[in-house]
Amino acid sequence: MNSNNIIKFSIFIVFLGLLTALYYRRVDHIYRTSAALLGLSLPLWVPKVYNPSEGIVRKVLSPIYDDRVMIVFSIFIAVHVSLVNVPFTTVDLFHKEWRDADVISHFLGGMTIWMIIASVLREFKLNWRKLIFYSILLFYTLAIGWEILEKLSESQISFIAETLQNKIRDVISDSLGMLLGIIIEKERITSYQQS
């Protein structure tokens, strides 16, 4: 199965979530699924209309042109959106019925974010040690920054009240996803320097 088919299948899953949100009139989920559909459509059309051969824009957009990264990204988005609202139900595993479901999203999200960062850094032709160091540094900046922003937003969103233990668990889940990403990408991180 090629990356476009996996992305299209993820779009289908998210579209089912949008239909569910429309049926149950869940405005938050309508926004969430609409944003997810837009994000998932980017790797399908951006490479067809814009494909710079070099420069900083190419480096920053490199994850969109990387099939492996886009497969992981599309799976993450489909799973995350489905956890927040299981299609054809009113079940919200992420925030209400099974509060530990965010472990799945953090794991897949950690892998996705690290792979995106590594894809961009690989374009700068860093040696593998620097690539690993900077990717981990950027990863934890984003992961911990996200948890801080989430904590600051708790007063605005009543059902997102998380303990310090939950925040630590989220970062650990992110880290495990990152480690799997490093294992998956290990060969690609070192191989471009040997050629």
Side-chain angles (χ1 to χ4, degrees):
M1 189 176 256
N2 71 26
S3 63
N4 282 354
N5 288 339
I6 293 170
I7 293 167
K8 288 174 185 175
F9 183 72
S10 295
I11 287 172
F12 174 72
I13 297 295
V14 173
F15 182 70
L16 293 178
L18 175 61
L19 293 178
T20 302
L22 290 168
Y23 180 79
Y24 290 109
R25 296 183 180 94
R26 283 207 43 202
V27 176
D28 62 324
H29 201 58
I30 292 169
Y31 292 142
R32 187 177 297 111
T33 53
S34 298
L37 288 170
L38 175 65
L40 286 170
S41 70
L42 290 176
L44 294 177
W45 64 268
V46 168
K48 293 176 184 174
V49 298
Y50 186 70
N51 197 353
S53 58
E54 57 185 51
I56 192 72
V57 174
R58 170 63 187 193
K59 291 175 181 178
V60 171
L61 293 179
S62 64
I64 290 178
Y65 305 100
D66 187 330
D67 286 347
R68 194 181 303 189
V69 174
M70 288 300 98
I71 287 170
V72 172
F73 169 75
S74 65
I75 292 169
F76 161 63
I77 294 296
V79 169
H80 177 71
V81 168
S82 296
L83 287 172
V84 176
N85 189 4
V86 178
F88 303 114
T89 72
T90 57
V91 175
D92 179 348
L93 293 174
F94 202 87
H95 297 112
K96 296 176 182 162
E97 280 81 10
W98 183 39
R99 303 260 337 206
D100 293 335
D102 71 334
V103 169
I104 299 165
S105 283
H106 278 280
F107 177 80
L108 291 172
M111 182 169 49
T112 303
I113 293 301
W114 184 84
M115 288 177 75
I116 288 170
I117 293 168
S119 178
V120 172
L121 291 178
R122 199 170 39 250
E123 292 292 316
F124 288 92
K125 305 294 186 219
L126 301 173
N127 71 50
W128 70 270
R129 284 184 178 90
K130 285 184 180 178
L131 190 145
I132 293 292
F133 174 77
Y134 288 122
S135 66
I136 291 172
L137 182 67
L138 287 168
F139 173 84
Y140 280 114
T141 300
L142 292 172
I144 293 169
W146 174 262
E147 294 303 324
I148 290 169
L149 287 173
E150 202 174 50
K151 190 68 177 166
L152 293 173
S153 70
E154 280 183 6
S155 62
Q156 303 299 317
I157 306 170
S158 61
F159 54 81
I160 300 180
E162 296 179 347
T163 64
L164 178 60
Q165 291 85 356
N166 180 274
K167 297 292 182 194
I168 292 168
R169 187 193 66 192
D170 289 349
V171 173
I172 290 169
S173 299
D174 294 337
S175 301
L176 292 173
M178 176 192 66
L179 289 174
L180 181 57
I182 290 171
I183 290 166
I184 290 170
E185 293 291 287
K186 182 181 176 215
E187 186 177 314
R188 288 201 315 172
I189 289 171
T190 57
S191 67
Y192 77 88
Q193 295 170 1
Q194 296 168 1
S195 56

